[in-house]
Amino acid sequence: MKRIAGMPESMSAVVTHYCPGCSHGVLHRIIAELIDELDLRGRTVGVASVGCSVLAYNYFETDFVQAPHGRAPAVATGVKRARPNLFVFTYQGDGDMAAIGTAEIIHAAARGERITAIMYNNSIYGMTGGQMSPTTLMGAVTATTPYGRSEENGRPYRMAELLAQMPGTAYVARTHVADVANIVKTKQAVRKAFEAQIRGLGFSMVEVLGNCPTNWGMTPAESNRYVLTEMLSYFPVGEFKDVTKEALAGVHA
Amino acid sequence: MEPMMTMMKGNEALGEAAIRAGCRFFFGYPITPQSELPAYMARRMPEVGGTFLQAESELAAVNMLLGAAATGVRAMTSSSSPGYSLKQEGISYMIGSQLPCVVVNIMRGGPGLGNIQPSQSDYFQIVKGGGHGDYRMIALAPAAVQELVDLTILAFDLADFYRNPVALVGDGLLGQTMEPVSFPPVKTTDDDKDWALTGAHNRPKRVITSLELNPENLEAHNRVLQAKFAAMEEREARWEEYRCEDAELVVVAYGTSARIARAAVDAARNMGLRVGLYRPITLWPFPGEGLTRLAEQGVRRFLDVEMSSGQMVEDVKLAVLGRARVDFYGRLGGMVPTPREILGQIQELMGGEA
Ligand SMILES: Cc1ncc(C[n+]2csc(CCOP(=O)(O)OP(=O)(O)O)c2C)c(N)n1
Ligand code: SF4
Ligand SMILES: [Mg+2]
């Protein structure tokens, strides 16, 4: 009989701690499905960051190491350099990657580390109770911008576009998981990012726009609408760097 | 066959010793006075199939070390005082995660940017914690280049044995000192530890983390760590006693200041003064046992000499516990005491007592 639905083997059969309606779980599932489909489970080391996804290691049936806040790309670098046959990915939030871990992500990308960084951008510090992050939109009310993010906080910046400029990157994209069609597109992008690492083309990264219904003070449906309207208007989806096709055509050979 | 002797600078001998110990991964960031070590590793690692990586900061370097250590390989990072401050984050995480590694601190004058001269003012930071949480790590303090080689190799063995980082502590003077050394043959190490992250192929997944949200479980985890620290205290204290047998006064010093103090002790002996030297080789666990015994045997005064304002002296006082008088002599800010200065202190103390 053909199996048409079920849990990916790389996903643990446990209840997650994520809030109802949170999209962290959707992104976990995409990653787990791809680890299965690309037959990577036996040689994967995931690197968990500090944020709501700090316990990601409980949800994947792969080896995992937990990094200090922001340092996941450095930890992943150490893992990959020590054992180059491993498939190594980081799973980081916007605060983890774009604030405290800026140096580590930029330099991992610049060096072209053969790792994949997945960023869940919910434009807020979810785990610590909803403070402003570097990607919080202008005007947004958070615990540390009670009157709305204003010019004195600076403006949100775009990580995917920034990393696309780094010489060592092979694939960089932004997607979102606020509707079904784009969940499918996110999976396609993460697949390309994983394949870029497997083929040794360089550093790959996918920034995934997601919600945080709890700290945005919205219902899950409202929060997905916020992603589709407000976030998408500031953070365009797309592929900002893709050398995979050139590599296939032999241009980078 | 006698091993070959070669002339080598401390910093480079340290690098070669690490390679002989089976270290194949080095993550560094330039800072004086340890820069010869990363430079040596950058040259040597490719020759032995290892990896040298210059990180973007000490924070990145120590976290790369964490990642490499998590896969079971022997790995090392090195720095000097300001950079060692940045390594504290990774050290705390690696101790919490029970990961072995070696971290070198070639100390320089502080606080702040200070200067690049030899110093011993990071004793508190290295021995008393530095990073957050209840933790301890073995700290080895060689006083000569051959000892630096031997202790580097020991550092990797101790790190693996206890699954805990080990600190190797020196200063710019030791790093620059050129002496004849011999190296043991290259070790083959077993990287396939039963906790190492190698991919969950035909086995359940493994997780390395320092996070434990449940306080009961975190307390239990801390008890496991504490039991390891107790075993280290029990077994790993190392020190050297020099001319202490009939001594009335014993100088206590480690590393570079011990080397200088030794010359002062010899000079004092030549003058007929009954003086010895007690040299801690491990700074943690602090080898207090021998000091306690000496105090009980009738040593009436201890003179602690450091290139700091008096940090180790606190541990000396704890070991002596009022059984004898403990005096202190220190130079600060990268100044190095001379044998004559120390001899002067000895004479003053012994004369004053006569
Ligand atoms: C060194 C350090 N600083 C601060 C914190 C507190 N902290 C935990 S999670 C977090 C922010 C996480 O936000 P993000 O990366 O966006 O992840 P999210 O929870 O939104 O998924 C912070 C600041 C910490 N654990 N360590
Ligand atoms: S706080 Fe936000 S990001 Fe974190 S689990 Fe809840 S909804 Fe998701
Ligand atoms: Mg976030």
Side-chain angles (χ1 to χ4, degrees):
Chain A
M1 221 197 311
K2 189 170 177 272
R3 196 168 98 153
I4 52 167
M7 290 267 287
E9 258 181 54
S10 298
M11 202 155 203
S12 309
V14 295
V15 177
T16 74
H17 70 290
Y18 296 117
C19 305
C22 173
S23 297
H24 264 301
V26 175
L27 186 53
H28 281 22
R29 176 161 184 134
I30 288 170
I31 293 169
E33 284 180 359
L34 286 167
I35 290 174
D36 282 2
E37 287 165 27
L38 298 169
D39 197 18
L40 296 169
R41 203 182 73 79
R43 61 184 185 99
T44 294
V45 172
V47 184
S49 67
V50 180
C52 280
S53 57
V54 65
L55 292 171
Y57 53 76
N58 285 337
Y59 308 139
F60 290 92
E61 286 303 297
T62 66
D63 281 4
F64 243 91
V65 53
Q66 202 278 307
H69 197 19
R71 318 288 176 234
V75 172
T77 297
V79 172
K80 186 75 175 187
R81 294 287 182 133
R83 294 190 188 261
N85 292 332
L86 291 174
F87 174 78
V88 184
F89 76 95
T90 71
Y91 189 105
Q92 305 174 254
D94 45 301
D96 192 87
M97 187 186 284
I100 193 167
T102 317
E104 285 77 13
I105 191 70
I106 295 230
H107 288 277
R111 288 190 305 268
E113 294 295 339
R114 270 57 173 166
I115 61 173
T116 304
I118 305 291
M119 178 207 208
Y120 183 83
N121 181 2
N122 56 7
S123 69
I124 201 150
Y125 284 15
M127 188 189 220
T128 40
Q131 296 83 0
M132 180 190 73
S133 97
T135 61
T136 296
L137 297 177
M138 294 309 281
V141 172
T142 71
T144 48
T145 53
Y147 307 108
R149 182 172 185 159
S150 62
E151 286 296 340
E152 67 195 50
N153 305 114
R155 290 168 176 252
Y157 79 90
R158 301 178 180 95
M159 193 46 119
E161 287 87 332
L162 185 66
L163 293 182
Q165 295 170 36
M166 292 296 137
T169 48
Y171 182 79
V172 179
R174 182 184 294 110
T175 63
H176 73 83
V177 284
D179 61 31
V180 176
N182 283 281
I183 290 173
V184 173
K185 283 187 183 162
T186 297
K187 185 168 172 184
Q188 285 162 355
V190 176
R191 178 189 292 276
K192 274 190 167 179
F194 281 8
E195 283 172 348
Q197 178 183 166
I198 294 164
R199 288 160 59 198
L201 298 177
F203 177 88
S204 55
M205 183 267 196
V206 182
E207 174 181 337
V208 180
L209 304 178
N211 61 3
C212 177
T214 301
N215 286 301
W216 293 356
M218 297 180 192
T219 66
E222 281 167 358
S223 70
N224 282 332
R225 267 195 297 280
Y226 183 85
V227 173
L228 290 167
T229 54
E230 308 295 317
M231 283 186 77
L232 272 178
S233 67
Y234 194 85
F235 297 109
V237 292
E239 294 180 324
F240 302 104
K241 187 152 179 193
D242 184 3
V243 305
T244 58
K245 293 188 205 81
E246 290 95 316
L248 268 183
V251 179
H252 280 244
Chain B
M1 202 180 74
E2 271 288 289
M4 280 268 291
M5 298 294 275
T6 30
M7 287 294 284
M8 246 177 149
K9 266 190 184 181
N11 281 335
E12 297 188 344
L14 199 170
E16 185 58 29
I19 286 168
R20 303 288 170 126
C23 171
R24 289 293 175 277
F25 300 91
F26 183 95
F27 306 98
Y29 187 82
I31 184 168
T32 311
Q34 60 84 58
S35 290
E36 287 111 346
L37 175 52
Y40 186 83
M41 292 310 224
R43 186 157 52 79
R44 267 298 266 152
M45 279 301 192
E47 293 175 1
V48 294
T51 297
F52 164 85
L53 188 56
Q54 180 168 324
E56 61 271 26
S57 70
E58 288 85 354
L59 273 173
V62 77
N63 283 293
M64 289 171 184
L65 182 67
L66 188 160
T71 73
V73 301
R74 286 195 160 182
M76 175 163 104
T77 187
S78 76
S79 194
S80 177
S81 309
Y84 192 79
S85 291
L86 294 183
K87 307 244 184 235
Q88 302 297 325
E89 174 185 87
I91 291 171
S92 169
Y93 274 76
M94 281 189 277
I95 292 177
S97 310
Q98 305 206 65
L99 290 175
C101 67
V102 174
V103 184
V104 178
N105 184 2
I106 303 295
M107 294 181 281
R108 60 186 245 181
L113 201 49
N115 61 22
I116 60 172
Q117 303 308 317
S119 167
Q120 298 181 319
S121 53
D122 298 350
Y123 180 94
F124 282 154
Q125 190 182 35
I126 294 160
V127 169
K128 306 290 177 186
H132 59 285
D134 259 331
Y135 78 71
R136 294 292 191 177
M137 68 195 289
I138 295 173
L140 302 168
V145 181
Q146 183 63 55
E147 190 181 31
L148 177 61
V149 166
D150 300 340
L151 292 184
T152 300
I153 294 165
L154 178 69
F156 281 98
D157 291 341
L158 291 174
D160 270 352
F161 184 79
Y162 291 106
R163 282 183 65 186
N164 205 60
V166 172
L168 206 56
V169 184
D171 60 60
L173 212 65
L174 182 64
Q176 294 303 321
T177 300
M178 210 184 227
E179 282 176 341
V181 283
S182 69
F183 294 97
V186 179
K187 268 196 195 188
T188 43
T189 57
D190 177 19
D191 297 338
D192 287 324
K193 291 140 177 156
D194 62 7
W195 49 263
L197 304 187
T198 53
H201 182 65
N202 291 332
R203 63 157 170 79
K205 69 168 178 179
R206 293 173 183 162
V207 173
I208 288 181
T209 179
S210 60
L211 178 73
E212 178 48 74
L213 291 172
N214 177 322
E216 278 176 26
N217 295 346
L218 188 57
E219 184 177 56
H221 173 61
N222 266 279
R223 297 261 182 242
V224 170
L225 298 180
Q226 291 299 323
K228 288 202 307 190
F229 304 150
M232 295 175 203
E233 273 195 284
E234 176 104 12
R235 293 199 289 246
E236 305 303 344
R238 287 169 169 77
W239 71 95
E240 182 197 16
E241 289 177 29
Y242 177 67
R243 304 184 92 166
C244 285
E245 308 77 35
D246 60 342
E248 287 170 17
L249 180 147
V250 167
V251 180
V252 189
Y254 71 93
T256 289
S257 36
R259 225 179 138 117
I260 299 163
R262 193 180 171 105
V265 165
D266 285 338
R269 282 279 174 181
N270 287 341
M271 297 165 68
L273 297 171
R274 280 158 49 183
V275 180
L277 172 68
Y278 189 92
R279 179 172 73 87
I281 296 170
T282 50
L283 302 184
W284 196 89
F286 183 74
E289 191 188 318
L291 282 175
T292 310
R293 180 178 36 76
L294 288 173
E296 282 167 359
Q297 279 170 11
V299 171
R300 285 185 291 168
R301 298 187 93 119
F302 291 91
L303 170 62
D304 179 277
V305 178
E306 297 175 49
M307 281 139 57
S308 80
S309 64
Q311 301 193 7
M312 182 176 75
V313 68
E314 294 186 359
D315 291 323
V316 173
K317 284 182 178 161
L318 275 174
V320 171
L321 213 65
R323 293 180 191 92
R325 205 176 134 168
V326 178
D327 287 284
F328 173 73
Y329 182 71
R331 295 299 304 265
L332 315 180
M335 290 300 289
V336 179
T338 61
R340 184 187 290 271
E341 271 171 61
I342 299 173
L343 180 62
Q345 293 292 315
I346 292 170
Q347 283 176 300
E348 203 173 298
L349 290 173
M350 295 191 87
E353 219 185 44

